Amino acid sequence: TIAASILLLTSTAAAQGYGQPGPPPPPPGYGPPAPIGVQRDGFVIGFSIGGGVLTNDSCDTCDSLTGPAGELHLGFMLNPQLALLVEGYSVSHSDDFFTITQSMGVLAAQYWVNPKFWLKGGLGSGHISLTNDRGQEVAVTENGGGVMVAGGYEVYQGRSFAIDLSLRAAAVSYDEADTVTQTAATVGFNWY
């Protein structure tokens, strides 16, 4: 009876896995799976290109001027949803006789409302210039204070890279030209 009881207990323990080795450890170099989506951390750099419009808000009879728009930014992530950026942004218009360009330098904050949609706002200074078809300045250039707002949506996200579509608007106040507004739709390329 004692021998039968011992045999029964050892077979029950073996059936429950007692005394059996566990699963083998993972091979070297394998760890937890990598996080999914873009990982925003540390230094940020990027640029965007597209088309824009310049409008003199104080001139009712002036036409809006269209042309290429571009933006360059760099900065750092304060946390995975908030970046502090220094940004340069311009819109220009050219025809056979002249080129008018408004550029801005802005200190901006960009906040991701959700993993793909972001909002941005900033303050800075603007510069407007008018040159002829030979690149010579034909009007006094001016500087003024301005404000910029933007919103965008990331259509592609890699681990440390994203492509976004954005809309932005900026207004700069000048002594002579009053307020000039620039708006743009751009495609952006960003590295985190």
Side-chain angles (χ1 to χ4, degrees):
T1 304
I2 293 175
S5 297
I6 292 173
L7 184 61
L8 181 63
L9 287 174
T10 56
S11 65
T12 303
Q16 293 179 356
Y18 295 122
Q20 301 292 323
Y30 286 87
I36 297 172
V38 66
Q39 304 300 302
R40 297 184 194 94
D41 187 28
F43 187 68
V44 178
I45 187 167
F47 69 94
S48 62
I49 54 174
V53 179
L54 291 172
T55 307
N56 186 337
D57 296 340
S58 61
C59 179
D60 294 334
T61 59
C62 295
D63 292 333
S64 296
L65 305 174
T66 61
E71 175 265 342
L72 173 68
H73 61 266
L74 50 99
F76 59 92
M77 298 299 301
L78 298 175
N79 63 50
Q81 288 183 278
L82 181 63
L84 185 62
L85 305 168
V86 175
E87 181 170 301
Y89 168 48
S90 70
V91 174
S92 64
H93 169 81
S94 296
D95 66 16
D96 293 337
F97 305 104
F98 71 91
T99 298
I100 185 168
T101 303
Q102 177 167 276
S103 302
M104 286 191 72
V106 179
L107 179 62
Q110 183 170 337
Y111 178 74
W112 280 263
V113 177
N114 64 40
K116 292 191 172 196
F117 177 68
W118 55 262
L119 297 172
K120 183 189 298 187
L123 299 172
S125 63
H127 178 80
I128 194 165
S129 64
L130 182 66
T131 56
N132 63 19
D133 57 351
R134 295 183 300 274
Q136 299 168 327
E137 184 179 290
V138 295
V140 176
T141 61
E142 288 191 63
N143 296 313
V147 61
M148 181 273 301
V149 294
Y153 185 81
E154 293 178 344
V155 294
Y156 171 80
Q157 293 180 328
R159 181 165 164 72
S160 60
F161 172 72
I163 298 173
D164 61 31
L165 302 176
S166 68
L167 296 173
R168 61 182 63 237
V172 181
S173 294
Y174 300 102
D175 289 337
E176 298 296 327
D178 297 318
T179 300
V180 176
T181 302
Q182 60 188 43
T183 56
T186 61
V187 177
F189 306 87
N190 309 280
W191 290 264
Y192 302 99

